[in-house]
Amino acid sequence: MAKTLEKKDHVVVRFAGDSGDGMQVVGSRFTDETAAAGNDLATLPDFPAEIRAPAGTPHGVSAFQIHFASRDILTPGDRPNVLVAMNPAALKVNLPALERGGTIIVNEDGFNDNNLRKAGYASNPLEDGSLDGYTVFRVPMTSLTVRATQGIDGLTSRDAARSKNFFALGLVSWLYGRPTEPTIEWIERRFAERPAIRDANLAAFHAGWNFGETTEALAVHYEVEPAKLPPGTYRNVNGTQATALGLIAASVRSGLPLFYASYPITPASELLHTLSRQRRFGVRTVQAEDEIAAAGMALGAAFAGNLAVTATSGPGMDLKAETIGLAVMLELPLVIIDVQRAGPSTGMPTKTEQSDLLMALYGRHGESPLPVVAAATPAHCFDAALEAARIAITYRTPVILLTDTFLANSSEPWRLPEIDELPHIDPEFAQPPSDADSDERPKFLPYQRDERLRRPWAIPGTPGLQHRIGGLEKQHETGAISYDPQNHEFMTRLREERIARIANDIPELAVDDPGGADLLVLGWGSTYGAIHGAVRKLRRERGVKVAAAHLTHLNPLPANTGEVLRRYRRVLVPELNRGQLARLLRAEYLVDVESFSKVTGLPMFTADIVEQIELRVERARRAA
Amino acid sequence: MTKKDFTSDQETRWCPGCGDYAILATVQSLLPELGVPPERCVFVSGIGCSGRFVYYVDTYGIHSIHGRAPAIATGIAATRPDLSVWVITGDGDGLSIGGNHLIHALRRNVPIKILLFNNQIYGLTKGQYSPTSEQGKVTKSTPFGSEDLPFNPLALALGAGATFVARSVDTDKQHLAETLRAAAEHPGAAFVEIYQNCNVFNDGAFDAVRAKGQRERNQIRLEHGKPIRFGADSEFGLVRGDDGSLAVAKISDVGEDAIVVHDAKNPDPTLAFQLAQFAPRPLGPTPVGVFRAVDAPVWGADLAAELRAAHERVGEDELAALLRQGETWTVA
């Protein structure tokens, strides 16, 4: 049968099933096929917090969304165009997100009475007309898979049925003309030692593809041309991987061994898993007894002369606060990574938010300023981690790096940097006095300042530089304990000034503004994609004049921040919190910025920002 | 090297008569004998009177935060097996707010020496009861007597799997020095409880074991491989009762052969645990010395060396290869 090939410039597909159905595997394979096809892409896995919720229920639904396009894109997409639903619960949970009139491909075999009941459907949505506004393809994936895998030696009927996720992948791969080689190679590699499973998955994948090719139900398939990305070598990377690689790069570029201590907590645990495999690079990881110990171990390692890192999420930050305060007093390099998650206390561990900004800036007792850096995209986590380490080592200070659940799990193509493009970081350890053996040697002053107000980093093992430091207030230069009132005021201001001067060493805030905009949309962290996607879309499609800027450094802020804010008539600050950056900017610069707040546990969508910009453009038009 | 090489220029500030002075002097005299230069020693302390200790030894040191010294010391030891790492803590710091870190440093067998100054009181915060204070202790925070049962630090350490456990007394310079030397020579985590007198808030708490005129009959000095005997004329010994428990007996009544022989190197911690519990209250005969010193794998030392070597081998080519791992594609 002749099939029609239609061109599309971008597509959003969501695979959804039970958490045992292998949706994350299928999503990752489809991502690799898509990368091989040369599209730009962004992905968003979404899985339940429970280890394994009851099968077939809405609590157990696991999903993977991918957005791919023939141009550069910035987000995993707001609304899927295509939903693959392996059972009624997956359909029920994901249908609200699907675009109106979108395509639904269901595993018809999954829609039995038992599953319908568990999903809470009173009648079968495939038959009661409730899906009339959509294009629905009913494919008996389980039975077709079982039939395709008949005759495979040693395959149980249960394992045969379990291969249905590869049937779904084969079908969707056909639909969008994805290259099949990456998946075939992956299956052969992954299941090399279990030939029956390997052959079943291959048979299911081919059967899915062939079903698309032959069935009369699907008359159209689509082509998404390769994107024109900047030249270079690319790989897919999620925020967790990029953060780990950034830390290792900082270790290599500084010559300091990487020490990483943390306590398991979602979603930061993945970073521990990733780094613990990197002994080849001299990475020392410790799973500490608690968050406090993790921070303490890292601080000890920093004193001993390592690139010391600890990471956590949500409530783990509360527990680390006291140690971070000590690091402020000790003026030692320490990188603290907060993979932010939704809500106070345990909140929603697998959902995203960016509500720890004010905590990162101010969440310690006393006056205890420190630099804060935030990553904008999954790939940018590499640069942000490297930058956090650079500032920590160069300025001998704890630095908080903010990422979030969305960045950690979501992936995108990353243009690999050349190693010599990466900053060289010089730890500049204090050197032993040349006359170390002489009785006349000058006394070592552990809190003597250089022109950047930094104190020397003298590591144990260095003769002649023995010194004691601690959390009690330091006397200027000597570091001895001091209760002198003037000294405390002096040291408080000095610690503040030392951090403030880092502004001289970070890039100015760059504004994306072709000219003439009245409205600036300013963001930080993982809203980058949605903000810039919305701004480009409105410019491209409707000629709206709107500017966008993004903060990577939240403390100190870039030196020109106030000037940029005052340049625009209106400033919109979208955040996945209740307006934390907006509050900060108002306080620092007395500029009447407008906050757009979203706290649903979901990432910011392009449509959210488009709506906010349109609202303001319309208001301005009416006022004029 | 002499004591002077380990004495900092800071003025020592504890209450006059504090037991900490004696411990400090003993440590400063011992360190030169260990053959580790000052720049390779690191002292880490928490909060409390004992926390000030680090300011007075001329080595590297961190006076850290409440209870966290074992964790910070673990980070140092994990990455620098070339250093001699000491933790100075107290009964409040180490057993209350820092209890978690203490037990985990011990169960990991981190190569650090933990000196727990036990005076059964909170001194720095001015006189509240501590986790080792006896039940019924009347203090500022417990005017009707404390409800809590006390921790037994040595039993706790043994329960955590400590490979070296000892007890000594602040003013017994020679015994303390010997005990600390044994701790320093132990390859893994060493835990030493030091009975320390707080003459301001809990004066005389350990007089039965410590004071002249009492210690002679109450202190049981443990020596590996020797029968456990004590008394002014060594006339008493520890024997096993029918149920296996330890009891005091007059040697003239039971005979030399009935006396239990101390075995600190037995992998089975049963005897050490019995001895640790053998401190009747109010204080009667109390064992001091090395309760347990067994060989066991030391946490992290080999790994630290291996990782440092790996790190030094890594160059930019390896980094480039790491960044490129997995599927890559090229856009021209």
Side-chain angles (χ1 to χ4, degrees), chain A residues 141-426:
Chain A
M141 294 188 201
T142 311
S143 40
L144 288 173
T145 299
V146 169
R147 208 176 306 154
T149 56
Q150 265 165 9
I152 294 175
D153 259 3
L155 186 72
T156 65
S157 56
R158 187 163 171 274
D159 282 339
R162 279 171 61 95
S163 303
K164 64 181 181 294
N165 57 332
F166 281 97
F167 183 98
L169 177 62
L171 176 56
V172 180
S173 299
W174 172 81
L175 194 58
Y176 293 103
R178 306 289 89 187
T180 53
E181 297 81 14
T183 294
I184 292 169
E185 281 168 22
W186 184 86
I187 293 173
E188 284 172 346
R189 212 170 44 236
R190 176 72 179 71
F191 300 103
E193 281 160 28
R194 289 188 291 165
I197 306 286
R198 175 195 63 199
D199 294 347
N201 287 339
L202 286 172
F205 181 64
H206 288 302
W209 177 281
N210 293 335
F211 180 82
E213 185 76 19
T214 52
T215 184
E216 304 208 343
L218 296 167
V220 184
H221 59 145
Y222 304 95
E223 182 184 4
V224 180
E225 287 185 343
K228 286 173 198 67
L229 295 173
T233 302
Y234 287 78
R235 66 177 275 201
N236 280 326
V237 72
N238 69 28
T240 301
Q241 294 161 337
T243 304
L245 292 172
L247 294 174
I248 294 170
S251 166
V252 172
R253 296 293 285 176
S254 65
L256 299 178
L258 177 57
F259 177 87
Y260 179 88
S262 76
Y263 184 75
I265 187 166
T266 302
S269 305
E270 291 300 325
L271 202 47
L272 173 63
H273 305 165
T274 305
L275 285 169
S276 62
R277 292 194 292 265
Q278 297 298 344
R279 284 192 182 180
R280 215 160 47 80
F281 284 82
V283 179
R284 173 69 156 114
T285 58
V286 180
Q287 181 178 315
E289 60 268 24
D290 61 29
E291 298 285 0
I292 301 173
M297 288 176 187
L299 185 59
F303 181 68
N306 298 272
L307 168 53
V309 182
T310 185
T312 190
S313 297
M317 279 301 279
D318 303 359
L319 292 174
K320 293 188 195 295
E322 187 192 19
T323 311
I324 299 171
L326 178 62
V328 167
M329 284 300 257
L330 301 188
E331 302 185 30
L332 284 172
L334 177 66
V335 176
I336 306 106
I337 302 171
D338 178 7
V339 189
Q340 299 166 96
R341 60 188 220 181
S345 187
T346 318
M348 299 198 288
T350 60
K351 303 297 170 192
T352 203
E353 208 162 274
Q354 45 180 195
S355 45
D356 296 352
L357 175 61
L358 293 180
M359 183 225 234
L361 292 168
Y362 306 117
R364 291 163 299 283
H365 75 277
E367 293 283 347
S368 49
L370 52 72
V372 177
V373 173
T377 72
H380 184 247
C381 286
F382 177 85
D383 304 286
L386 189 56
E387 174 68 349
R390 181 190 74 85
I391 293 176
I393 295 168
T394 307
Y395 293 92
R396 294 97 161 83
T397 174
V399 174
I400 293 180
L401 168 63
L402 295 173
T403 68
D404 62 34
T405 310
F406 169 65
L407 292 176
N409 295 337
S410 156
S411 60
E412 65 176 353
W414 173 39
R415 190 178 153 276
L416 297 173
E418 293 298 326
I419 302 302
D420 57 14
E421 293 169 6
L422 304 176
H424 177 71
I425 307 169
D426 188 354

Side-chain angles (χ1 to χ4, degrees), chain A residues 229 231-232 234-235 253 255-256 289-290 292 297 300 304 306 322 443 460-462 465-471, chain B residues 9 38-39 54 58-63 66 68 71-72 75-76 79-80 100-101 108 307 311 316 323 328-329 331:
Chain A
L229 295 173
Y234 287 78
R235 66 177 275 201
R253 296 293 285 176
L256 299 178
E289 60 268 24
D290 61 29
I292 301 173
M297 288 176 187
N306 298 272
E322 187 192 19
K443 194 169 160 37
T462 321
L465 301 185
Q466 291 93 298
H467 65 286
R468 279 72 50 197
I469 52 182
Chain B
D9 60 356
E39 70 268 14
V54 301
D58 196 13
T59 65
Y60 284 87
I62 301 179
H63 175 216
H66 306 80
R68 317 303 171 199
I72 293 170
I76 298 171
T79 55
R80 296 289 302 275
N100 201 27
H101 310 305
R108 288 190 182 104
L307 291 174
H311 171 74
E316 308 207 328
L323 301 190
T328 62
W329 67 95
V331 174

